[in-house]
Amino acid sequence: MIKFNIITIFPNIFSSYFSESIIKRAQKSGAIEINVHNLRDYTTDKHKTVDDTPYGGGAGMVLKVEPIFNCVNAIKKQETKTKKQTRRVILFSAKGKKYTQKDAKRLSKYNQLIFICGRYEGVDERVAEKIADEEISIGDFVLTGGEIPAMVVVDSITRLLPGVLGNDQSAIYESHSEDGYLEHAQYTKPEEFEGWKVPKILLSGHHAEIEKWRKKKSKSK
């Protein structure tokens, strides 16, 4: 089982997505556990302040290091690290390493993943330097926060776990299962719609020829 711990200032963002479909079933089966932590619960002032203005001036607000440090430490204390338990702390950041299917496979080997969702202008750099094990970006664009990347990473890892998809072959023969590999086109009923026909080879019943066609239609980037 993998335990996902997500640190955010907007915990309600996750409730809808994680309570549907494959992610819901994975939680129910015990394949994964998802815990969402409200960063404001780990502040030390009466106003529950999680951000402040940047040193040196500039636009926007920066998430403070103290509450993030407190939250990560609290999560770690809940789980006693043993030889059989592994943990990774990840900060979602526009300047992080671009996330790939290879990263999903790598991270699926951990027992516990702690995700730090940035917001506003960014996060105090000491979080990246001293608290997180790595920084991840899901693409060359800027989002308003790390919550969507957290959902993306949870989803991509969860579907790799044994038994989650129902048919484990689904996670093997698909796009990005190998470097540069893009899956062949898929078709289903009806056989013809608006004059658009399914390729005849797929209706032939000749499995060897169908496999050759699929390999031919698979693409490399």
Side-chain angles (χ1 to χ4, degrees):
M1 181 182 75
I2 297 180
K3 289 188 178 182
F4 295 101
N5 286 281
I6 303 172
I7 302 171
T8 175
I9 60 173
F10 295 111
N12 293 333
I13 284 178
F14 299 95
S15 57
S16 176
Y17 191 79
F18 288 158
S19 62
E20 301 287 347
S21 189
I22 291 172
I23 304 299
K24 178 182 178 180
R25 295 200 301 270
Q27 292 177 85
K28 190 173 181 180
S29 70
I32 64 170
E33 179 181 311
I34 302 175
N35 302 299
V36 180
H37 305 267
N38 189 338
L39 185 60
R40 296 188 189 279
D41 293 338
Y42 298 87
T43 56
T44 57
D45 68 304
K46 65 179 182 180
H47 300 295
K48 297 186 178 296
T49 306
V50 295
D51 60 346
D52 211 328
T53 54
Y55 280 122
M61 302 291 280
V62 177
L63 285 183
K64 294 161 64 69
V65 64
E66 298 102 321
I68 294 175
F69 175 82
N70 293 338
C71 186
V72 170
N73 275 1
I75 294 169
K76 288 181 176 180
K77 287 178 181 178
Q78 291 173 2
E79 302 290 338
T80 304
K81 193 171 182 180
T82 66
K83 290 183 179 179
K84 293 183 179 180
Q85 186 180 25
T86 53
R87 178 191 296 127
R88 196 77 172 161
V89 180
I90 295 167
L91 170 64
F92 292 110
S93 166
K95 62 185 180 66
K97 174 183 174 290
K98 191 181 293 185
Y99 187 68
T100 67
Q101 186 70 11
K102 187 177 292 185
D103 292 310
K105 292 178 181 178
R106 171 176 62 87
L107 294 175
S108 72
K109 306 302 180 184
Y110 287 88
N111 300 125
Q112 186 185 72
L113 295 169
I114 301 174
F115 296 154
I116 303 169
C117 300
R119 271 277 161 176
Y120 307 127
E121 190 63 25
V123 180
D124 189 303
E125 186 64 18
R126 288 168 290 188
V127 174
E129 293 175 348
K130 305 296 183 181
I131 300 174
D133 295 309
E134 61 181 288
E135 290 181 85
I136 282 178
S137 166
I138 62 168
D140 294 333
F141 47 85
V142 179
L143 297 170
T144 55
E147 287 77 15
I148 290 175
M151 288 188 275
V152 167
V153 175
V154 168
D155 189 300
S156 62
I157 292 173
T158 298
R159 65 192 310 281
L160 294 176
L161 303 180
V164 166
L165 293 182
N167 185 344
D168 290 339
Q169 297 297 307
S170 297
I172 298 174
Y173 302 108
E174 63 179 358
S175 295
H176 309 297
S177 57
E178 299 176 8
D179 286 343
Y181 173 81
L182 298 177
E183 189 179 10
H184 56 79
Q186 300 277 14
Y187 298 86
T188 189
K189 297 174 182 177
E191 182 180 328
E192 182 176 344
F193 176 74
E194 295 286 337
W196 309 328
K197 298 180 180 180
V198 173
K200 289 184 179 180
I201 184 65
L202 299 178
L203 308 173
S204 68
H206 297 300
H207 297 295
E209 293 301 314
I210 290 173
E211 186 62 25
K212 287 181 182 178
W213 179 88
R214 285 176 169 170
K215 287 182 178 178
K216 183 179 179 180
K217 292 297 181 178
S218 298
K219 297 178 181 179
S220 294
K221 291 189 292 184

